Amino acid sequence: MRPRQTVLITGASRGLGLEWARQYAEDGWGVCATCRRPEEARELTALAAQHRDVSVHRLDVTDAEQLRTLQLDLEEACIDVLLNNAGVYLDKFLGDFGGIDYEVWLRSFAVNTLGAVRVSEAFAAQVARSEKKLVVVTTSHMGSITDISAPGSYAYRSSKAALNAAMKGIAPALEPRGIGLLLLHPGWVKTRMGGRDAPYTPEQSVRGMRRLVEKFDPSMNARFFRFDGSEMPW
């Protein structure tokens, strides 16, 4: 029996990406799960062993050759939901003003901003031929310029703000192909990035974000929502 729909997820080896993969697999979707080092992604490969419609692929979103290889592997695919989840927070404990690490800043942009744009551009044709036709971006409230009230996290904040701006601009290019775009803030979640003090579990966050994906309609296109459905300021 064929899966009812297919999702491509970047950064699926742990945290939110792994939870997206788990929930979609359990709901009968085809899941193309990508990560940088599949040989180390034990939970993800175990999930693939349990669900025949889950496949694991190598992808560093900053690596053009790896992206091209995956693009060729999935050349004939229909991708209902393209989920740009891969991201880094490299300056969480670094880079006070006066001692900023600019290499960290450049790496943050390469992954958080350019990575999502690269993947969206590479798989637009596969999304356009699907039924759902939706590009989803996991961004952050820290990319909201309105919400900035304290110093620090310059690389992460600016890379997510740039991601929001880039995707807001890409939306009109996708619209003539029938493709929608949804930007989501997952909340503060108990992951390696979020830490143990976070109030929400990956399961809670992804359940909420999936509800927004499921109910997506043209009125939601290129808008920025928190996982609970409230709209975020730019």
Side-chain angles (χ1 to χ4, degrees), residues 31-95:
V31 178
C32 299
T34 77
C35 60
R36 288 186 299 157
R37 292 183 287 271
E39 65 278 3
E40 298 177 13
R42 296 180 181 177
E43 290 183 84
L44 181 59
T45 53
L47 183 70
Q50 295 167 7
H51 298 272
R52 66 177 184 177
D53 292 319
V54 175
S55 57
V56 179
H57 307 266
R58 185 182 304 278
L59 180 64
D60 179 334
V61 298
T62 69
D63 189 316
E65 285 300 316
Q66 287 186 19
L67 184 56
R68 179 59 179 158
T69 297
L70 183 60
Q71 189 182 29
L72 290 172
D73 288 345
L74 300 178
E75 192 170 13
E76 303 301 322
C78 294
I79 298 172
D80 292 272
V81 177
L82 174 58
L83 179 53
N84 290 290
N85 170 77
V88 293
Y89 190 174
L90 301 176
D91 61 331
K92 187 172 185 177
F93 303 109
L94 300 172

Side-chain angles (χ1 to χ4, degrees), residues 184-210:
L184 298 177
H185 166 47
W188 184 16
V189 185
K190 294 181 194 296
T191 62
R192 191 168 80 171
M193 183 184 290
R196 291 179 295 178
D197 294 333
Y200 302 107
T201 65
E203 191 276 338
Q204 291 172 313
S205 174
V206 172
R207 289 278 176 210
M209 290 190 287
R210 281 190 63 204

